[in-house]
Amino acid sequence: MAASNDQDAALRIASGRKAFVEPLRLGDRLKEIRLSNQWTLGDVSARTGLARSTLSKIENDQISPTFTAVQKLINGLGIDLPQLLTPTTPQLRSRGRRDLTPRGDGNQHPTPTYEHELLSCQLAQKRMIPFKTIVRARRFDEFQEWVRHDGEEFLMVLEGDILLYSEFYEPLAMSTGDSLYFDSDMGHALISTSETDAVVLSVCTPGDSH
């Protein structure tokens, strides 16, 4: 009983009134830190000197760590106390969103070389930015500078043929149905090699627009 009382006392914050471990679900937080670093229980054991069985019980809220164990976690994982005590980030559930863009009803954004149609414009805070592009350029020298923006991009040719110029590669010929995934912070530019303007579909991660 005395040992139990000592452990409870060790887990109380400076005010001596409330234990910080239980309301903040330290076990969940420890597991979150471990998984975010792709560590096994064995890895954490080697770093902290705490037994794997002890770590497993902490993560599953079967025991509360002593103050000494908390210190070993902080020192072994290379974090500070506030990081360990930050509540676990809740997992957001799907909100079932959807956004229909009827043909031709996207947000038009013309440029001298492209005519973009931004799609799914009613959704805010999207993880992807889809848009359809009519490629009007016929020569690379129509571009004053490379097109570049943060993130990654998926591109598929819907109509016609294009030539994709990029900063680190030779020009790449693509035809209807061809697709490409690339880092969009690499300078790039498209020209149509068809008699008519080519059409491509692009999906980007959020960043600066073309």
Side-chain angles (χ1 to χ4, degrees), residues 6-34:
D6 289 344
Q7 179 174 321
D8 290 341
L11 292 174
R12 299 185 186 279
I13 57 175
S15 65
R17 296 179 181 275
K18 291 184 179 180
F20 60 70
V21 174
E22 187 172 313
L24 292 175
R25 301 182 64 84
L26 189 145
D28 287 348
R29 179 57 178 152
L30 174 60
K31 186 173 183 179
E32 182 181 54
I33 293 172
R34 178 173 66 81

Side-chain angles (χ1 to χ4, degrees), residues 33-48:
I33 293 172
R34 178 173 66 81
L35 294 180
S36 68
N37 287 280
Q38 298 183 337
W39 290 333
T40 65
L41 285 173
D43 294 331
V44 176
S45 177
R47 290 171 175 270
T48 63

